[in-house]
Every structure is written in structure tokens, then in C-alpha cells.
Amino acid sequence: MKTLVVYLMAMPDTPALAHAAVEAGADMIELGFPFSDPLADGPVVRRAGERSLAAGMRTSRCLDVLAETRALVDVPLIPMTYASIFDAYGWDRLEADARAAGATSFIVPDLPADMHTGLRRVQLAAPTSTDERLRLAAETSDGWLYLVTVTGTTGARSALAPTLAPLAARARSTTKLPLHAGFGISTPAQAREAADLTDGVVVGSSAVEAAEQGVTELARFVGSLRAALDA
């Protein structure tokens, strides 16, 4: 079965949204901790981060949301945020507090694999990654390797990037870790196409847009992704 990872921005209603997503078929939840200068985020996730910050979602409150989500779901929960958040809060302290709140791992998109190696995290590999960097990411990644399908930010695309197939092939020759593709996967059809090349997909911007419409719409959207992956 292909893995479905759904990204949600930390907000007061995120625990209920995450529960609905899991009930509809999500296998993992990425929980965004907002940052004021999110270099990897496209317009949808960036705006969600701005709303989150405006709602008072600082790191300590995001940790509360993480704990509240953990109380409702029994799937991997992976905070996704930027290195500056760790710098401000304290690397060891944030890792310890997040794991105590229920974090399974972490994603830090602006942190190279050879920096802060003590933080076990899911590493990212992009189409521009050299074979050497790809091997390093695979060797140090926590549980699975995140394949970034495009060179750019998150966000919906009209079609699956052609760069995914060669990246997935290079990754397959490098590691036995599961490969999950993300960035630019926004529809059930794109999710199915990406899953044909990998072990699963990560859906962010479209999930965030659905979540903004409430629990019912998010559950419908996640269910459509699950059906496509299972077809």
C-alpha cells in the first residue's frame, strides 16, 4: 500500500483536522510550525503560516497542538519547520519537547544533511542533488527519504514534474529506504502518477486549502487521494 502523508499548518483546530485526515486515509501527518521567512513554502503554505502566526502560534503553542493531535491519532507526526526556529528555541530543547509531545521525527528543509547531525530527521533530496549529496541524505534520513519533485517552492502544479522519475531512479539505486515524493503534488491523479514511481506521496498546499474549508472538505479531499493511491 502506498503511503499518504498530509501536511497541515499548526492552528488551534489542527488536532480535529488531523484526526479527520487520518480517518479518511492519511498515514502520516506533517505539522507545520510557522516561520516568518519560509523559503521553501509556496504562496498557499506561506499564507497559512502568516495566519498561524497572527493567531499566536509560537513554538510553545505549536507544541501544545502537537500534543493535542497526538492524543487523537496514532500515526507518525512530523513537525516541519526551519532551522531558525530551532536556533531560537534551542536545538536540544526543541527536539526533547517535541518528542515528549508526540513527534515521531522532524523535517527541516533549510538544514543540510551534514549539519546538526545529532537531530534525527527526514532528509530531503532534490533533482539538483548530486549523487554524493543524495547518498548522504539517504544514509542519514530517519525512516524515509523525501524526494522534492521540483526545484522551487511548494505549491500546486498543472502536471507532475518530469524531474521526479530520474530522481527516484537515482534514489532507488542508492537506498532501500521508502521514497516519498512531495512538492507540486496537488490532485489525486498526480498522487497516483507519483506513487507509481515511489512508495508514497506528500500533499501540502492542496491539503492546506482543503483544511481551510473545514473538516468535511479535508476528509473528502484526503479520501480522494487515498482512493487514487489504492486504485
Side-chain angles (χ1 to χ4, degrees):
M1 188 175 78
K2 301 293 185 175
T3 299
L4 174 58
V5 187
V6 171
Y7 174 96
L8 298 170
M9 182 62 70
M11 288 286 281
D13 61 347
T14 298
L17 290 164
H19 182 259
V22 171
E23 289 293 300
D27 300 299
M28 300 186 197
I29 299 293
E30 282 183 30
L31 185 62
F33 283 24
F35 176 52
S36 58
D37 189 21
L39 297 179
D41 293 345
V44 171
V45 176
R46 184 181 289 268
R47 287 194 297 269
E50 291 170 355
R51 287 192 295 273
S52 180
L53 290 171
M57 299 301 298
R58 302 303 185 263
T59 303
S60 59
R61 182 68 185 97
C62 290
L63 290 168
D64 291 341
V65 168
L66 174 61
E68 292 161 13
T69 304
R70 171 53 71 208
L72 295 178
V73 303
D74 191 26
V75 301
L77 297 178
I78 306 175
M80 181 173 179
T81 193
Y82 289 83
S84 291
I85 298 296
F86 280 87
D87 284 335
Y89 195 90
W91 287 82
D92 292 341
R93 179 186 171 210
L94 182 51
E95 179 182 11
D97 288 357
R99 290 197 184 277
T104 309
S105 190
F106 302 88
I107 296 174
V108 190
D110 62 339
L111 183 64
D114 53 359
M115 294 183 64
H116 285 282
T117 56
L119 178 68
R120 288 289 296 169
R121 60 191 185 272
V122 175
Q123 304 285 9
L124 284 76
T128 53
S129 297
T130 64
D131 289 345
E132 179 182 1
R133 298 303 294 187
L134 181 57
R135 282 193 297 271
L136 177 62
E139 290 168 358
T140 58
S141 198
D142 186 17
W144 51 282
L145 186 62
Y146 194 143
L147 301 185
V148 177
T149 69
V150 296
T151 53
T153 61
T154 62
R157 305 294 201 279
S158 59
L160 188 68
T163 47
L164 175 58
L167 175 60
R170 287 200 296 139
R172 289 275 187 222
S173 69
T174 302
T175 182
K176 294 182 179 180
L177 286 177
L179 308 176
H180 299 159
F183 284 53
I185 299 172
S186 55
T187 68
Q190 290 172 0
R192 178 65 259 176
E193 186 179 356
D196 285 341
L197 301 168
T198 62
D199 302 296
V201 299
V202 184
V203 180
S205 296
S206 293
V208 168
E209 288 183 317
E212 289 169 358
Q213 299 179 57
V215 168
T216 300
E217 177 57 23
L218 178 62
R220 185 207 63 76
F221 177 63
V222 172
S224 71
L225 294 170
R226 181 77 267 165
L229 293 180
D230 293 345

